[in-house]
Amino acid sequence: MSAVAARPVAVIGCRPGVAGGVCFLEDQVVLHAVGAGCVQLHLKQNWREFIPGTEKTRGVQAMAISPDRRYLAAAETAGDQPVLTVYDLSSVPARRRRTLSATELPERVAVALAFSPDCQYLAAATAPPEGHLTYWLWEKQRLMAAVRLEAPGSSVCQVSFSPQDNAQVCFTGNGFFKLFKYSEGTLKQMNLEKGMPQNYLCHTWLSEEEVICGTDTGKLILFETGDLLWETSVEYRKPHRELEEDATTTEYERCSVCSSVDNGSQQDSLPQISAIAAYSKGFACSSSPGIVLLFEKTRGKELYKESQEIWLPKDRFSNDPEKSGRQNIICICFSPSEETMVVNTHKNQLYVFTMFTTDFMKERIAYFKYLTFPLHSASITGLDICVWKPILATCSLDRSVRIWNYRTNTLELYKEYREEAHTVSLHPTGLFCLVGFSDKLRFISLLYEDMHVFKELAVMKCRECSFSSRGHLFAAVNGNVIEIYSSITFQNINNLKGHSGKIHSVKWSADDTKFISCDTHGAVYEWNLSTGERETDCVLKSCRYSSIDLSSDAKVIFAVGSDQTLKEISESSIQHEVPAFGVVYTAVAVSHSGHMVFVGTSLGTIRAMKYPLPLTADFNEYQAHAGAVTKMSITNDDQFLLTASEDGSIFIWKVYEKGGEVVKWQKEAEYAEEVLIMRSDIKEKSQAMLDLQIRVKELQTENYYQLSLKDMYYNEKIKELEDNFTQEISSLKTKHQNLQAEKENQERQHQLQVSELMNKQAREMQKLESDSNQKLLMENEKYQELDEKSQKMQEEYEKQLHSLEESKSKAVKELTEYYEEKLNEKSVLLKETEEDMRRQFRAHEEIEKQIYEDEDQEIMEIKIKYERQLWEEKESNMQLKGEIGVMNKRLNSLQKELKERNRYIEEIKLAQQKLQHFIKSLEDDILSLKKEIQERTNTIQDKEKHIYDLKKKNQELEKCRFVLDHRIVELKKLIEARGNDIKIMKKQIYEMEGELERFHKESTQLKLNITQLQQKLKATDNEMHRERQKKHNMEALLKQFKADLHNCAGFIQEPQKLKNGIRELYTKYVQDSDLEEIEIAQKDLQPECMRQREYLERNLAALKKKLVKNQETHRGAYMHIMQENMSLIKEINDLRQELKAALTQLHHLKSTLKLTKKREAIQNTAPPSEPLPSPAVLRLNAEKENEKIIEMQQLEIQYLRNQIQEKGQSTPVEPLLAGNLPELNLEGSHKTQQQ
C-alpha cells in the first residue's frame, strides 16, 4: 500500500433529507449525517469524529440510533445496490458490526429506520408505492417478518417501536396509520383505520399506548392503542415583530406568500407538521417554517397545551434576512437529559436551543442559535488558501462566500450576495479575495467583521480566477480568454488567447514565471506572461480536463479529466498515465514537497498516492463526500489537505507519511494576526463609546438623585418604626411582668404538689413492701403444692408412653405388608397401558398424514382461485390509476392558474394600498406643518409676555432678599442656643448609660448565682438517678434470689441438698462488707438528706427575694431612661424640621438670584429705547455683592455643621442607643437642596 495517508480532523456540512438525520449520543455529543457518512460533534470541546459509509456509497438516506446510544443503523446506496448497515459506536473508531440483506425482497433503499427498546430488533421501511416494512433480528442478520404496503404516490413515511414493547411497531405515511404486532413470524395489524385518510408526515410515541401524529394540514392527532383519543389543529404562524423589525405589515404578508411559494409544500400559507419529537413533559413539533412549538401535558379536556414558541434566528449577513428564518424544520431531537434541543432544516442548517427546567425562567417566545455556524446549502464551486493566515475561502451556488479557519475549525467571515458565486481566490496576505459572480468579478477586502467590495471588474460569468503566488497579479477567465490584471492598479496587463473550449482550471508557478491552463477540448497550455504567447502545449481532444496542478519546481504538470486517468505532463508531452480503475478523477493537488499526490473522484472519494506515480492500484482511498469533489488544495506546510464537494461539505484532512508520521516542514508556520477595518467603522464605534460614556454619567447623576430621595424616605420610615417599636417594647414589658407573676404562682403550686406527691409515694412504698412479703409467702406455698402434682403427672405420662410405642410398631408392620401388595398390582397395570399407548400413537400418525395431504390439495385450489381474482383486480386498478393521473394533472394545472391570478390580484391590491397610504401621509404632513407654524407664533407671543412679568417679579424678589438676610442672622442665633441644649442633653444621656451599665453588671451577677444553683440542682438530680439505679439493681438481685430460693425449696424433702443449697445462697448473696455499708448508710443517710434540703430551700428563698428587688429597681431606672430618651428624640426632630425649613428658604433665595442674573443679561442685550424697571437694578456690581453674600452664608452654615459633628463625635453612644438616635445627615440633605 501507499506510504501516504490522511485522516479527517474536521468535517463541515450537513446532509439534507435524511430521516432521523440528527441525534444525541451524549448530552454534549451530537451525531448527524454529512458527506458519505456521519460525524460525531462535541458541543463544548469542538472535536469531530467522522464515521465513513460503505464503499462507493452515495450518502446516508436514513439513520437511527439505538436507545442505549451504542449502535447506529444507516441506510445507504452503494453503487446501484441498497445497503443497510449497523455500526458499533462504543469502539473507537466506530466499526461496521452487521450488514443486512434479504434476497426474497425487492432491492430498494430504506427511508425510515428504528431500533427496538432492548436494541435487539431493527425495523426498516421502504418508500411507497409498493413499500415494505421489514422486521430484523439484526445481530443474527435474520429477517423475522415482512409486510407489503401499497400507498398512492411516493410520500414521506416513518417507522418506530413502542418505547416498552419490542413486538409493537407503528408505520405512518400518506393515507395510512398502522400498528403492527409481531407474533409467530408475522407482523399482524392491530388497529382498524376509521374516518377520512390523512397524509401523516411524522409521528412519535408519548407513552406505551399513546402515539401522536402530525399531518400536512396542521393537525395533531393522538391515538391510544390505535383509537382516536384527541385531535387539535395548529394555525400557520408568522414571525414575531422582534424577528422582523423593519418590515411593514404589507411587506410582511408578501414575504410569507413568497416563502410558501419557495417551499412548494405549503399551499396558501397552510400549516403542516413537518417534524415532531417527544420529551418528558410533552412533545415539540414544527407547524410552520422557522418555528418549533412546545406542548405540555395538562389535566383538563385539552390533554396537551402549547407552552412556548421557539423561532429560528434572522441571519443579518443574508441578502434576504426575512427568508433566512423561514426554513422548513425536518428533524427535532432532545438530549438524554432534555437540557438541549437540536433541529435540522431543509437548507442543511443545524440549530440548538437550551431548554429551561423551571417555568419561571421560561419565556413565551424564544429563539434558536446556530449549533456551530451557518453551513453551505448548495454545491461548493470554489476553494482557496493563503500564505499569511491559516484560513480558506469557499464560495457556493447558495450565493455565499465564507472564510474558515482550518486550525480552529471555525467560521471567521460569512456574507451572502444576490448572484451565484462560481470561483474564489485568496490573496497571499489573506486580507483580500477575488470572487467571480455571474455578472461581475469583485475584488473584496476582508474586514474584521464584514466583506467590503473594493473594486468591480466587468468580467461576465467568470468561472476561474487566481492570484499569483506573490499577490501582485491576478488572472480571471472571461469566456475563452484569460485576462491578467495588476492587483495594485487593476489595469489589464495582458490577455491570453488560444483556448477553444471552456477553461476549467488555471495555475501559477511558485515564482510567478509560469502560468498553466486547461480546457474542455483537451488542451493544456503553458503561457509566457510578458509576450502573452504560448510556450508549450499538450492537446488530447478525447479528454475533457477538469483540474490541473504544478509540481514545486514547475517542471511537471498533473492533469485529470474525463478519460479516467491521472496524467503527468512535461516538455509538451504526456510522460506517464495512472488509471482511475472505474471512476472519473475530478480534482488533483500536489504537495509542496513533491512526494505526495492527492486526487478527488466523481464518487466523492479521496485517493492518496506517493510520487513517482504508481502503475498499479497502490494508493489509499477514503470515503468522504457524497458528491463529486469540485476543489482540493494542500496547505503550504503540507500538513493539511482541504477538499470541497458538490454536496456542500468541506473536509479538513491531516496528512501522514511513512507509517503514520505527520509531515514535518522545514520551518514552523508563523501566521499574521493583522485584520482590516473601515475608518467609518472606527468612527462609529468611537462615537458609540462617547454616547455610552455620556449616558453613564447621566445615569450616575440620576442614580445619585434617586438615592438621596430614598435616603429621605427611609429616614422617615425609620422614625415611624422607632415609634412603633417603643410602643411595642412598653406593651411587651407589661406582658413580661404579668407572665413573671404567673410564673411565681405556678412555682408555688408546683412545690406544694411535689411535697404532696413525695408523701404519697413514701406511703405507697411501705404498703407495697408489706403486700409483696405476704404474696411471697403465698406463692411459696403454692409452689410446693404444684411441685408435688408435677411429680405424680410425670410418672403417669411415662407409663402411657411405653404402651403407645408398642402399639405403633405393630401398626407400621401391618401397613408395609398391605402397600407392598398394592405396588405389585399397579406395576402390572402400567405395563399394559404403555403397550396400548404405542398402538394408539401409530394410528394417530397415519390419520395426521392423510389430513395434511387433503389440506395441501385444498390450499392449492384456493390459491389458484384467488390469484386469478388478484390479477383481475390489478388490471382494473391500473386502469383506474391512469384515469386518476390524468384528472390530477388537469386539477394541478387549474390550481396553478388560479394561484397565479390570485397572486397578480394581491400584488395590484398591495400597490394600490401603498399609494393610498403615501397620499394620506403627505396630507397629514401638510396639516401638521400648518399647525406647528400657528403654535410657534402663539408661543413667541406668550414668551414675550412672560419676559415682561419676570422683570416685574425680579424687582419684588430683590426687596425680599434683604428681609431674608435678616431672618438668616436670627436663625443662626437660634441654632447656637439649640446647640447648647443638645450638649446638655448628651451629658444626661451619658450619665444614664453609666447607670445602665451598672444595672447590666448586677443582672450578670444574678445570672451567675442562678447558674450555680442550677449546677447544684443538677448534682442532686445525678445523685437521685444513682440511687434509682441502685434500687433497680437491688430489685433485679431480689428476683434472682427468689428464683434461687425457689429452686432450693424443691429439695425440701432432702435435708442434705437443702442445707447445701442454703449455704450456696449465703455465700453468693451475703458479704460482710455489704452488711457494714448498709448499716453505716442507714445511720448517715437521713440526717444528711434533711440538712441538704434545708440549706437549698433557704438559698432559693433568698435568691428569689433578691431577684424581685433587682427587677423592680431595674424596671424603674429603665422607664426613666426611656422617658428622657423620648423627650430628646422629639427635640432633635423639631430641630431637624427647623433646619430643613431654613435650607429650603436658602434654596429659594439662590433660585431668585439666578433669575435676577438672567434678567439683567436680557436687559443688557435689549434695545436702549426700553424703560428701566426700577432704580434698584442700577446698583454698582450688584451681581458680585449677591455672590459674596451667598458665599458668606454658605461658609457660616458649613462652620455650624462642623461644630455639630465635632460635638456629636466627642460623646460616644453605645450600640443600644445608636439605633434609637440616628446621626443627622445634614450634608446629604444640603446637597439635595443644592441640586
Side-chain angles (χ1 to χ4, degrees):
M1 291 296 288
S2 174
V4 182
R7 183 176 65 85
V9 292
V11 183
I12 300 164
C14 182
R15 182 171 171 78
V18 179
V22 183
C23 50
F24 274 91
L25 295 181
E26 298 172 14
D27 280 332
Q28 296 298 327
V29 180
V30 176
L31 179 79
H32 66 89
V34 60
C38 302
V39 68
Q40 297 179 36
L41 169 64
H42 198 287
L43 299 180
K44 286 188 176 177
Q45 298 175 9
N46 197 26
W47 54 257
R48 293 169 173 84
E49 188 68 36
F50 182 65
I51 303 166
T54 54
E55 192 177 349
K56 295 183 180 180
T57 181
R58 294 178 187 173
V60 177
Q61 302 295 324
M63 55 185 271
I65 196 82
S66 63
D68 61 358
R69 320 277 173 183
R70 186 178 173 184
Y71 303 108
L72 168 70
E76 307 164 85
T77 304
D80 296 326
Q81 298 294 320
V83 179
L84 183 57
T85 314
V86 179
Y87 295 88
D88 188 356
L89 300 175
S90 59
S91 60
V92 180
R95 63 185 179 86
R96 195 176 293 112
R97 184 75 177 265
R98 293 285 185 273
T99 301
L100 310 179
S101 61
T103 54
E104 62 267 25
L105 294 176
E107 293 181 348
R108 296 188 68 189
V109 182
V111 294
L113 299 170
F115 274 98
S116 63
D118 62 354
C119 310
Q120 289 184 2
Y121 297 96
L122 180 70
T126 58
E130 298 182 2
H132 281 85
L133 174 64
T134 53
Y135 188 84
W136 298 84
L137 182 63
W138 66 268
E139 278 281 3
K140 295 182 180 179
Q141 297 177 332
R142 188 191 301 166
L143 178 64
M144 306 297 289
V147 175
R148 186 178 178 182
L149 183 71
E150 291 185 4
S154 59
S155 62
V156 177
C157 63
Q158 186 180 350
V159 65
S160 65
F161 274 92
S162 170
Q164 294 177 7
D165 189 357
N166 291 337
Q168 196 169 356
V169 181
C170 180
F171 189 28
T172 59
N174 187 2
F176 63 90
F177 167 77
K178 294 182 183 293
L179 287 173
F180 292 99
K181 185 88 172 178
Y182 175 75
S183 66
E184 299 177 358
T186 57
L187 285 167
K188 295 178 182 177
Q189 188 171 343
M190 294 169 58
N191 65 320
L192 292 171
E193 296 181 49
K194 299 174 185 177
M196 290 292 291
Q198 302 277 348
N199 184 4
Y200 298 105
L201 299 178
C202 54
H203 74 264
T204 187
W205 290 81
L206 299 178
S207 66
E208 189 179 354
E209 296 178 345
E210 292 181 352
V211 182
I212 191 161
C213 302
T215 69
D216 63 343
T217 57
K219 286 184 180 179
L220 288 167
I221 304 170
L222 181 65
F223 295 96
E224 186 176 16
T225 61
D227 297 326
L228 180 64
L229 180 65
W230 175 71
E231 183 179 342
T232 187
S233 293
V234 184
E235 294 179 355
Y236 184 82
R237 303 296 175 98
K238 294 181 180 179
H240 195 252
R241 288 178 185 175
E242 291 177 3
L243 193 67
E244 298 191 357
E245 295 168 356
D246 302 322
T248 59
T249 54
T250 55
E251 288 174 344
Y252 180 42
E253 287 172 4
R254 182 168 55 79
C255 286
S256 65
V257 170
C258 292
S259 66
S260 67
V261 172
D262 289 341
N263 292 335
S265 61
Q266 289 179 331
Q267 297 177 1
D268 300 326
S269 297
L270 285 173
Q272 64 172 12
I273 312 299
S274 59
I276 193 165
Y279 69 112
S280 59
K281 291 184 179 178
F283 64 91
C285 69
S286 176
S287 63
S288 307
I291 186 174
V292 171
L293 303 176
L294 292 182
F295 285 82
E296 292 185 0
K297 196 162 188 176
T298 59
R299 294 182 181 178
K301 290 181 181 178
E302 288 291 324
L303 294 178
Y304 290 91
K305 189 178 179 183
E306 184 187 329
S307 62
Q308 196 174 15
E309 292 180 14
I310 308 164
W311 288 88
L312 295 182
K314 186 169 65 174
D315 194 349
R316 62 190 182 93
F317 294 109
S318 175
N319 58 0
D320 193 352
E322 284 75 20
K323 278 189 181 179
S324 65
R326 305 290 287 164
Q327 301 177 41
N328 282 337
I329 293 165
I330 59 173
C331 184
I332 303 170
C333 69
F334 290 93
S335 64
S337 63
E338 295 182 355
E339 291 179 358
T340 50
M341 173 173 60
V342 171
V343 298
N344 183 15
T345 69
H346 77 289
K347 288 189 177 179
N348 306 4
Q349 304 302 320
L350 295 168
Y351 295 92
V352 67
F353 177 72
T354 305
M355 303 283 285
F356 293 108
T357 53
T358 53
D359 290 334
F360 69 88
M361 293 176 72
K362 193 185 287 184
E363 295 177 356
R364 182 71 183 82
I365 295 169
Y367 297 95
F368 284 99
K369 60 181 181 180
Y370 283 107
L371 184 69
T372 49
F373 28 70
L375 306 168
H376 280 298
S377 60
S379 174
I380 296 170
T381 54
L383 180 145
D384 197 19
I385 58 171
C386 68
V387 181
W388 282 23
K389 295 182 179 182
I391 59 173
L392 71 140
T394 57
C395 64
S396 171
L397 295 179
D398 61 6
R399 301 176 181 179
S400 68
V401 178
R402 300 166 199 254
I403 308 298
W404 312 85
N405 190 315
Y406 57 79
R407 286 195 173 269
T408 59
N409 303 327
T410 54
L411 180 67
E412 293 198 346
L413 279 175
Y414 154 59
K415 194 166 185 180
E416 276 190 19
Y417 295 89
R418 294 189 179 278
E419 297 83 21
E420 290 181 348
H422 298 289
T423 181
V424 68
S425 179
L426 268 176
H427 195 269
T429 59
L431 301 174
F432 309 100
C433 75
L434 272 174
V435 183
F437 292 95
S438 54
D439 60 343
K440 287 180 182 177
L441 176 69
R442 290 177 172 85
F443 187 92
I444 296 171
S445 301
L446 303 178
L447 305 179
Y448 177 59
E449 290 179 338
D450 197 9
M451 295 185 188
H452 175 66
V453 177
F454 182 75
K455 184 77 176 175
E456 289 184 346
L457 301 169
V459 181
M460 297 288 286
K461 294 181 181 179
C462 180
R463 301 286 174 175
E464 281 295 323
C465 65
S466 178
F467 276 103
S468 63
S469 300
R470 294 173 185 173
H472 62 293
L473 300 172
F474 65 86
V477 174
N478 189 355
N480 297 336
V481 180
I482 302 167
E483 297 177 356
I484 308 295
Y485 291 89
S486 170
S487 301
I488 299 158
T489 61
F490 299 102
Q491 289 181 354
N492 188 356
I493 296 169
N494 211 335
N495 292 328
L496 308 179
K497 298 176 182 178
H499 280 286
S500 58
K502 286 184 180 179
I503 299 167
H504 270 189
S505 183
V506 294
K507 194 74 179 177
W508 296 81
S509 63
D511 56 358
D512 293 337
T513 57
K514 290 184 179 182
F515 185 78
I516 314 297
S517 62
C518 69
D519 64 13
T520 56
H521 288 180
V524 177
Y525 295 148
E526 184 180 333
W527 302 87
N528 188 337
L529 295 177
S530 58
T531 60
E533 294 179 354
R534 289 182 299 208
E535 283 192 349
T536 61
D537 58 2
C538 179
V539 180
L540 183 66
K541 291 186 177 181
S542 62
C543 179
R544 293 167 56 88
Y545 287 112
S546 57
S547 178
I548 57 169
D549 203 356
L550 269 173
S551 62
S552 56
D553 57 0
K555 290 180 180 178
V556 181
I557 302 167
F558 296 90
V560 293
S562 60
D563 63 348
Q564 299 185 4
T565 57
L566 168 62
K567 296 175 180 63
E568 185 182 342
I569 303 168
S570 65
E571 296 177 359
S572 301
S573 63
I574 298 167
Q575 302 293 329
H576 190 50
E577 283 187 355
V578 178
F581 301 100
V583 295
V584 176
Y585 288 141
T586 56
V588 63
V590 183
S591 66
H592 294 83
S593 63
H595 300 308
M596 296 176 286
V597 179
F598 297 92
V599 287
T601 68
S602 57
L603 295 177
T605 58
I606 305 297
R607 291 181 178 179
M609 53 188 79
K610 60 184 177 181
Y611 186 78
L613 298 174
L615 290 170
T616 59
D618 187 15
F619 51 78
N620 290 324
E621 188 167 9
Y622 303 100
Q623 296 293 328
H625 302 280
V629 178
T630 53
K631 297 287 177 182
M632 60 195 306
S633 182
I634 297 179
T635 57
N636 290 309
D637 55 3
D638 287 347
Q639 289 195 359
F640 293 98
L641 171 69
L642 314 168
T643 62
S645 171
E646 288 177 356
D647 64 356
S649 62
I650 302 164
F651 275 68
I652 301 169
W653 306 79
K654 191 82 172 175
V655 178
Y656 300 90
E657 63 178 354
K658 292 181 183 177
E661 292 182 7
V662 180
V663 176
K664 293 181 180 178
W665 196 242
Q666 294 175 355
K667 294 181 180 178
E668 288 187 6
E670 294 180 1
Y671 296 111
E673 296 292 332
E674 290 82 4
V675 291
L676 296 177
I677 191 163
M678 298 283 284
R679 192 186 296 278
S680 59
D681 292 343
I682 294 167
K683 285 180 181 177
E684 284 176 7
K685 285 184 179 178
S686 59
Q687 187 61 43
M689 283 171 71
L690 286 168
D691 293 341
L692 287 167
Q693 285 173 356
I694 292 160
R695 180 64 182 151
V696 165
K697 286 178 183 177
E698 288 174 359
L699 287 168
Q700 282 176 348
T701 53
E702 284 178 15
N703 193 18
Y704 182 74
Y705 176 66
Q706 290 291 331
L707 281 169
S708 61
L709 288 173
K710 281 181 182 177
D711 286 339
M712 292 168 70
Y713 172 72
Y714 286 128
N715 286 329
E716 291 173 1
K717 278 270 185 186
I718 287 161
K719 286 175 190 175
E720 291 175 6
L721 287 167
E722 281 179 357
D723 296 336
N724 292 331
F725 281 131
T726 49
Q727 289 174 4
E728 285 179 8
I729 286 161
S730 60
S731 64
L732 286 167
K733 280 180 181 176
T734 53
K735 279 184 184 178
H736 179 69
Q737 289 173 1
N738 295 329
L739 289 167
Q740 193 72 26
E742 286 178 7
K743 184 192 166 190
E744 288 173 358
N745 292 327
Q746 285 177 0
E747 280 179 352
R748 287 169 193 162
Q749 290 174 3
H750 181 67
Q751 285 177 357
L752 291 167
Q753 287 174 359
V754 166
S755 60
E756 287 175 2
L757 285 167
M758 290 290 283
N759 294 325
K760 275 184 183 179
Q761 190 186 5
R763 289 171 200 158
E764 285 175 358
M765 281 287 288
Q766 288 174 0
K767 282 181 183 179
L768 284 167
E769 281 179 1
S770 62
D771 292 340
S772 63
N773 289 328
Q774 288 175 2
K775 281 179 181 178
L776 259 171
L777 292 167
M778 293 285 287
E779 289 293 326
N780 196 4
E781 289 172 359
K782 283 180 183 177
Y783 173 73
Q784 288 172 0
E785 290 173 1
L786 288 166
D787 192 23
E788 289 173 359
K789 282 180 182 178
S790 67
Q791 285 177 358
K792 289 175 183 177
M793 291 282 282
Q794 194 173 357
E795 289 171 358
E796 288 174 1
Y797 281 126
E798 282 175 356
K799 288 173 184 177
Q800 287 176 5
L801 267 168
H802 283 298
S803 62
L804 285 167
E805 280 176 0
E806 288 172 358
S807 62
K808 184 187 172 186
S809 61
K810 287 176 184 177
V812 166
K813 284 177 183 177
E814 289 172 358
L815 284 166
T816 49
E817 288 171 358
Y818 174 72
Y819 280 115
E820 279 175 358
E821 288 174 2
K822 283 223 169 192
L823 230 163
N824 293 325
E825 291 173 2
K826 293 285 178 186
S827 60
V828 172
L829 281 167
L830 241 170
K831 287 176 182 176
E832 290 174 358
T833 50
E834 280 176 359
E835 287 176 0
D836 290 336
M837 278 288 289
R838 284 169 192 160
R839 289 179 204 138
Q840 288 173 7
F841 186 69
R842 286 169 193 160
H844 176 72
E845 281 180 348
E846 289 174 1
I847 292 159
E848 195 175 7
K849 282 178 185 177
Q850 289 175 1
I851 288 162
Y852 275 128
E853 287 172 0
D854 296 338
E855 280 178 354
D856 289 337
Q857 287 175 359
E858 286 176 8
I859 287 160
M860 286 297 290
E861 289 171 1
I862 292 161
K863 190 179 179 184
I864 292 158
K865 182 184 173 184
Y866 281 116
E867 278 177 354
R868 284 174 189 166
Q869 287 180 6
L870 240 170
W871 182 71
E872 289 169 3
E873 288 291 329
K874 276 182 181 177
E875 283 186 346
S876 61
N877 274 333
M878 288 296 288
Q879 288 174 0
L880 288 167
K881 279 178 184 177
E883 289 172 7
I884 289 160
V886 172
M887 293 297 288
N888 282 331
K889 283 176 183 176
R890 285 179 187 173
L891 221 160
N892 289 327
S893 62
L894 287 167
Q895 282 178 349
K896 283 176 183 176
E897 285 175 10
L898 255 169
K899 279 181 193 175
E900 286 170 2
R901 285 179 185 178
N902 288 331
R903 281 177 207 141
Y904 183 67
I905 290 158
E906 283 177 2
E907 284 173 4
I908 290 162
K909 283 179 181 177
L910 290 168
Q912 191 180 354
Q913 285 175 4
K914 281 181 182 178
L915 289 166
Q916 284 175 357
H917 286 307
F918 187 65
I919 290 157
K920 283 179 183 178
S921 62
L922 288 170
E923 286 173 356
D924 293 335
D925 291 340
I926 290 158
L927 288 168
S928 61
L929 287 166
K930 284 179 181 178
K931 284 178 183 177
E932 281 181 7
I933 290 158
Q934 187 63 37
E935 284 171 1
R936 284 183 182 178
T937 52
N938 292 331
T939 49
I940 289 159
Q941 290 174 3
D942 293 335
K943 282 181 179 178
E944 285 175 354
K945 287 177 184 178
H946 188 62
I947 288 159
Y948 183 73
D949 294 335
L950 286 169
K951 284 177 182 176
K952 282 184 178 179
K953 283 181 183 177
N954 193 10
Q955 293 173 6
E956 292 171 2
L957 285 166
E958 280 184 352
K959 290 174 185 176
C960 292
R961 187 166 63 86
F962 293 104
V963 176
L964 287 167
D965 287 337
H966 182 67
R967 285 288 303 278
I968 286 161
V969 173
E970 289 177 354
L971 284 165
K972 282 179 184 175
K973 289 176 182 177
L974 277 168
I975 287 160
E976 286 177 358
R978 291 293 168 90
N980 294 326
D981 292 337
I982 287 161
K983 283 181 186 176
I984 294 159
M985 287 173 184
K986 281 183 178 177
K987 283 180 183 177
Q988 288 177 0
I989 288 161
Y990 188 73
E991 290 170 359
M992 287 174 185
E993 285 172 356
E995 287 179 2
L996 256 173
E997 283 178 358
R998 284 199 299 279
F999 287 136
H1000 279 306
K1001 285 176 183 176
E1002 286 175 1
S1003 67
T1004 49
Q1005 188 63 38
L1006 287 168
K1007 283 177 183 175
L1008 285 168
N1009 292 335
I1010 287 160
T1011 50
Q1012 286 175 0
L1013 288 168
Q1014 284 175 349
Q1015 285 173 358
K1016 287 178 182 177
L1017 263 169
K1018 281 180 183 177
T1020 53
D1021 283 332
N1022 290 331
E1023 283 180 2
M1024 216 168 101
H1025 283 304
R1026 282 193 218 104
E1027 288 299 319
R1028 281 178 184 169
Q1029 189 65 39
K1030 280 182 183 178
K1031 184 186 165 189
H1032 286 303
N1033 293 338
M1034 288 300 291
E1035 283 175 356
L1037 200 130
L1038 254 171
K1039 283 179 183 176
Q1040 193 177 353
F1041 177 74
K1042 284 175 184 177
D1044 291 338
L1045 192 71
H1046 187 68
N1047 292 331
C1048 279
F1051 305 117
I1052 201 155
Q1053 293 179 356
E1054 296 175 7
Q1056 188 61 38
K1057 285 184 180 179
L1058 186 65
K1059 188 179 179 183
N1060 293 331
I1062 289 161
R1063 277 180 181 171
E1064 283 173 5
L1065 284 171
Y1066 184 83
T1067 52
K1068 188 176 179 181
Y1069 293 104
V1070 180
Q1071 294 178 0
D1072 296 334
S1073 59
D1074 291 339
L1075 292 168
E1076 288 172 4
E1077 283 175 7
I1078 289 160
E1079 287 173 1
I1080 293 158
Q1082 284 176 352
K1083 288 176 185 176
D1084 299 333
L1085 190 64
Q1086 287 180 351
E1088 182 64 27
C1089 186
M1090 291 299 291
R1091 265 187 268 122
Q1092 287 287 334
R1093 188 173 177 180
E1094 287 171 1
Y1095 174 75
L1096 287 167
E1097 284 174 354
R1098 272 187 259 121
N1099 277 339
L1100 210 144
L1103 285 166
K1104 280 179 181 176
K1105 286 175 185 176
K1106 275 186 184 179
L1107 203 142
V1108 170
K1109 285 178 185 176
N1110 286 331
Q1111 281 178 350
E1112 287 173 356
T1113 53
H1114 185 71
R1115 197 180 299 122
Y1118 192 80
M1119 288 298 290
H1120 180 65
I1121 289 160
M1122 285 299 295
Q1123 287 170 1
E1124 286 180 351
N1125 199 357
M1126 289 292 286
S1127 61
L1128 286 167
I1129 287 162
K1130 283 177 184 176
E1131 286 179 4
I1132 288 160
N1133 288 333
D1134 294 334
L1135 285 167
R1136 282 176 178 168
Q1137 287 173 358
E1138 288 176 5
L1139 214 148
K1140 277 182 183 177
L1143 287 166
T1144 51
Q1145 285 179 0
L1146 233 163
H1147 181 66
H1148 288 313
L1149 282 168
K1150 285 180 182 177
S1151 62
T1152 51
L1153 278 167
K1154 285 177 183 176
L1155 281 167
T1156 51
K1157 287 176 189 176
K1158 286 179 181 177
R1159 283 173 195 155
E1160 284 170 4
I1162 291 160
Q1163 286 171 5
N1164 291 330
T1165 55
S1169 61
E1170 238 181 67
L1172 291 170
S1174 68
V1177 183
L1178 296 170
R1179 288 184 304 164
L1180 293 168
N1181 296 324
E1183 289 180 2
K1184 289 182 179 178
E1185 285 178 4
N1186 291 333
E1187 286 174 359
K1188 283 180 181 178
I1189 289 160
I1190 289 159
E1191 284 177 0
M1192 291 292 287
Q1193 287 171 355
Q1194 284 178 347
L1195 287 167
E1196 285 178 1
I1197 289 161
Q1198 189 64 39
Y1199 174 72
L1200 288 165
R1201 280 187 189 140
N1202 292 333
Q1203 281 187 342
I1204 289 161
Q1205 284 180 353
E1206 286 173 4
K1207 285 169 183 176
Q1209 289 172 359
S1210 62
T1211 56
V1213 182
E1214 277 191 1
L1216 183 71
L1217 296 172
N1220 295 329
L1221 296 170
E1223 291 183 4
L1224 296 170
N1225 192 4
L1226 297 172
E1227 288 183 38
S1229 60
H1230 178 60
K1231 283 177 183 176
T1232 54
Q1233 292 294 334
Q1234 282 180 348
Q1235 286 177 357

